[in-house]
Amino acid sequence: MAAHRRRRPWELPESAVTDEAVYLSRRRFLRALGLGGLTAGGLAVGGRGLLDGAWAQDEPLPPLAAPRSEAHADAGRPLTPEPLPYRYNNFYEFTTDKERVWRLARGFRLDPYALEVDGLVERPGALALEDVEALGLEERVYRFRCVEAWAMTVPWVGVPLRKVLEKVGVRPEANYVAFTSFLDPKQAPGQRGGGYRWPYYEALRLDEAMHDLTLVATGIYGKRLPPQCGAPLRLVVPWKYGFKGAKSVVRIEVTRARPRCFWNDLHPDEYSWSSNVEPDVPHPRWSQATERLLGSGDRVPTLPYNGYGEQVARLYAT
Ligand SMILES: Nc1nc2c(c(=O)[nH]1)N[C@H]1C(S)=C(S)[C@@H](COP(=O)(O)O)O[C@H]1N2
Ligand SMILES: [Mo]
């Protein structure tokens, strides 16, 4: 078992989790860009274009075009301005400081990459990224809700996980699907200490994994995922808290017994195994009734199942 941590880094003042010099220079950098208030819940940025200076520092991302799914063309909210989801990340393999992930993940590559799919399947094996994408890439705009109460709306490019599972053939005795992220301490400074048990691991029930909304994403905003967003392939489960969406996944295992999950193992009292978005169920240390939009900084009500209840509530009907 990983060491228990009583407080999560996100409740600490930023200066406590960030080298002071870096912290101060970042403040100056953001001030120079005209970015005033950083809030606990997210970057409160007034409008588009403010991050253009920082945006220019990204490595160019190869285009990844896909037809936009009509059913998922509109998530009922404006899209989060493109640079922001590349500048504010949770990816503890690199750092717990959301605003520094992009810098530390720059140049991160899993090469060669293969997605191992095994366990209770008819045809276990390794899939290349192209094998996954050949199953039919589409673009879908989804709302995204982190358990820390910040939220964004982004166009993912990906394939329903169901298509991957159908390709390998799920055996009848299967009940769950487990996801394992990469392990490479040479590239990921956060994996060289910190008391967490790497690699990151997550899981879904089989019916959740087979649900049409559940995506494996290889792109965002019509381009390949940047490293900080979970390149080359991540999971997206829009009705659950963001941490269920494992990044940089290298293995999918279909199982009979219920797999363990990273955050649920660390703090079962704070992060339930299923972690559906439930505005009426407060986190022990904060309310989940509202969320702060990355970009505008507006606080808006959180919806049951993150607004996807019509599609998924039947999975949980007793
Ligand atoms: N491997 C891995 N996957 C992860 C995480 C992580 O630290 N490591 N963080 C999770 C959390 S808490 C969130 S909110 C989302 C953040 O995705 P984003 O940075 O692209 O917004 O990734 C999830 N997947
Ligand atoms: Mo999160």
Side-chain angles (χ1 to χ4, degrees), residues 1-211:
M1 271 289 283
H4 261 240
R5 298 178 58 142
R6 292 271 161 254
R7 303 178 65 186
R8 301 260 54 77
W10 57 73
E11 21 159 2
L12 300 174
E14 272 190 300
S15 51
V17 292
T18 310
D19 174 304
E20 193 69 15
V22 173
Y23 172 74
L24 291 172
S25 69
R26 192 180 61 235
R27 285 288 160 155
R28 275 194 293 275
F29 171 62
L30 290 169
R31 213 174 308 122
L33 290 173
L35 286 173
L38 287 174
T39 68
L43 279 171
V45 178
R48 281 164 193 275
L50 288 173
L51 278 171
D52 283 352
W55 178 220
Q57 297 175 37
D58 267 292
E59 288 177 12
L61 299 167
L64 187 66
R68 181 168 283 197
S69 156
E70 279 306 317
H72 305 287
D74 180 0
R77 279 185 189 169
L79 279 190
T80 302
E82 185 179 0
L84 296 177
Y86 307 157
R87 287 291 173 272
Y88 191 81
N89 302 97
N90 275 329
F91 206 169
Y92 276 32
E93 286 88 336
F94 293 91
T95 171
T96 58
D97 179 349
K98 295 186 219 316
E99 294 157 45
R100 284 212 301 156
V101 171
W102 70 274
R103 247 181 268 261
L104 291 169
R106 202 152 32 168
F108 167 68
R109 276 179 74 85
L110 297 177
D111 190 15
Y113 176 77
L115 176 66
E116 209 67 50
V117 188
D118 59 8
L120 298 175
V121 299
E122 308 292 348
R123 295 170 293 280
L127 301 179
L129 211 54
E130 305 79 72
D131 299 334
V132 176
E133 293 177 341
L135 298 171
L137 279 180
E138 36 181 304
E139 180 173 73
R140 295 187 180 193
V141 179
Y142 280 170
R143 290 182 297 278
F144 180 98
R145 172 60 156 82
C146 173
V147 74
E148 301 157 3
W150 57 270
M152 61 183 183
T153 304
V154 296
W156 300 107
V157 179
V159 174
L161 173 63
R162 184 192 67 248
K163 293 191 179 179
V164 177
L165 295 172
E166 283 169 353
K167 180 177 167 71
V168 295
V170 173
R171 304 223 318 237
E173 63 272 32
N175 296 316
Y176 295 94
V177 181
F179 308 88
T180 310
S181 294
F182 79 103
L183 180 66
D184 188 352
K186 279 204 200 72
Q187 292 197 72
Q191 290 185 333
R192 304 199 285 261
Y196 293 102
R197 185 169 80 177
W198 305 112
Y200 195 89
Y201 50 101
E202 257 304 337
L204 297 171
R205 295 185 341 204
L206 181 61
D207 60 347
E208 296 173 330
M210 296 295 279
H211 193 283

